């Protein structure tokens, strides 16, 4: 059984994780036996080699995407996550650039995902666990970086445009467990981010759809606080 499928696309089926397995991240042995690392020092601004974009229209779409992301300083909204098995969960998303975000799942899910600009904490309220990972290994650089250039910071695979949406497919090799592919879907009218799909290194997909997005509201700074001394920060 695969252990988890997160909104971050860091693996598969967290919603189906068995409590008897213990912390899902420890089972993957990503950071050496599941031991808690010291606060990460890896920067999220590490750049990938520049990518070439095939068409002028594609290049223009990437520039519009960059302009949207770089114009966002804060973001508050709702999300609906669909896993590879079709199971849906929902919650709230808060972002404060650079590097801070929080995905808080609606109950009965016990999950919280917090990035404080240095590390990412995966917390399970029910199991009273907290696992820490390097922020630079998340595939959500487009939400975290102060200044993003998709062609520089990721590898662009494809750009497709329809009447109502534009999709930019990118690849990131610096993510948990190997290379992840992300499809960013924008509303063609104002080029606001509509949803994204992360395909993890094993081929499992997580779709995240945004709604009720507010780009003016400033999140409470306490939302992004990680307690490094406790496994349960409730």
């Amino acid at each position: 059984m695969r252990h988890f499928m997160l909104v971050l696309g860091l693996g598969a089926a967290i919603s189906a994780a068995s409590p008897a397995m213990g912390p899902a991240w420890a089972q993957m042995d990503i950071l050496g036996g599941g031991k808690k690392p010291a606060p990460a020092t890896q920067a999220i601004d590490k750049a990938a080699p520049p990518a070439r974009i095939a068409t002028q229209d594609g290049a223009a779409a990437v520039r519009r995407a960059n302009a949207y992301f770089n114009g966002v300083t804060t973001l508050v909204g709702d999300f609906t996550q669909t896993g590879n098995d079709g199971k849906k969960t929902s919650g709230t998303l808060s972002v404060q650039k650079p590097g801070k975000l929080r995905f808080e799942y609606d109950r009965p899910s016990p999950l919280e995902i917090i990035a404080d600009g240095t590390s990412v904490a995966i917390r399970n309220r029910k199991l009273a666990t907290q696992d820490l990972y390097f922020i630079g290994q998340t595939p959500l650089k487009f939400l975290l970086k102060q200044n993003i250039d998709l062609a520089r910071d990721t590898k662009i695979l494809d750009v497709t445009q329809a009447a109502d949406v534009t999709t930019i497919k990118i690849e990131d090799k610096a993510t948990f467990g190997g290379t992840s592919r992300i499809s960013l879907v924008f509303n063609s009218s104002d080029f606001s981010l509509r949803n994204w799909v992360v395909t993890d290194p094993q081929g499992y997909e997580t779709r995240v759809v945004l709604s009720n997005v507010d780009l003016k509201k400033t999140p409470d700074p306490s939302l992004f606080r990680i307690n490094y001394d406790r496994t349960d920060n409730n």
Side-chain angles (χ1 to χ4, degrees):
M1 177 187 295
R2 293 176 59 80
H3 300 137
F4 52 102
M5 174 75 87
L6 292 179
V7 68
L8 294 181
L10 304 175
I14 192 165
S15 58
S18 167
M21 298 297 293
W25 288 99
Q27 301 302 321
M28 294 201 59
D29 197 27
I30 293 172
L31 298 177
K35 296 179 181 179
K36 180 189 289 188
T41 57
Q42 180 177 344
I44 65 172
D45 285 350
K46 184 177 180 181
R52 297 187 63 184
I53 306 169
T55 67
Q56 289 185 346
D57 287 346
V62 171
R63 287 195 297 270
R64 292 189 70 186
N66 289 338
Y68 172 78
F69 288 132
N70 293 332
V72 173
T73 302
T74 62
L75 184 152
V76 176
D78 301 323
F79 71 88
T80 300
Q81 171 189 320
T82 305
N84 198 73
D85 59 359
K87 183 176 180 179
K88 292 187 177 183
T89 52
S90 59
T92 57
L93 166 64
S94 301
V95 175
Q96 176 77 62
K97 288 186 178 179
K100 298 178 181 179
L101 64 76
R102 182 186 184 106
F103 287 97
E104 186 159 354
Y105 289 75
D106 293 338
R107 296 181 186 276
S109 172
L111 293 176
E112 297 172 337
I113 302 172
I114 304 168
D116 66 355
T118 301
S119 302
V120 178
I122 310 298
R123 303 198 314 187
N124 186 312
R125 296 183 297 266
K126 183 177 180 180
L127 299 181
T129 59
Q130 175 174 280
D131 298 293
L132 298 175
Y133 297 90
F134 296 117
I135 196 171
Q137 292 176 287
T138 73
L140 299 188
K141 294 177 177 64
F142 54 91
L143 286 180
L144 294 171
K145 290 189 67 173
Q146 185 72 51
N147 292 290
I148 186 77
D149 183 335
L150 293 175
R152 177 197 66 202
D153 300 316
T154 68
K155 180 180 180 180
I156 295 178
L157 301 177
D158 191 24
V159 179
T160 57
Q161 296 176 296
D164 57 340
V165 297
T166 297
T167 302
I168 301 176
K169 295 182 179 180
I170 62 177
E171 182 179 81
D172 190 346
K173 294 184 177 181
T175 57
F176 289 105
T179 299
S180 293
R181 293 189 173 187
I182 305 106
S183 294
L184 303 171
V185 183
F186 299 86
N187 294 304
S188 293
S189 57
D190 59 0
F191 233 79
S192 58
L193 183 63
R194 181 171 179 168
N195 65 270
W196 67 82
V197 181
V198 178
T199 305
D200 75 8
Q202 289 73 44
Y204 284 72
E205 289 188 350
T206 306
R207 178 181 299 273
V208 179
V209 178
L210 300 179
S211 59
N212 303 318
V213 173
D214 188 336
L215 301 181
K216 295 182 179 180
K217 183 177 181 179
T218 301
D220 184 341
S222 66
L223 293 174
F224 313 115
R225 196 169 296 144
I226 297 174
N227 187 332
Y228 290 97
D229 297 323
R230 297 178 60 188
T231 57
D232 178 22
N233 195 27
N234 288 323

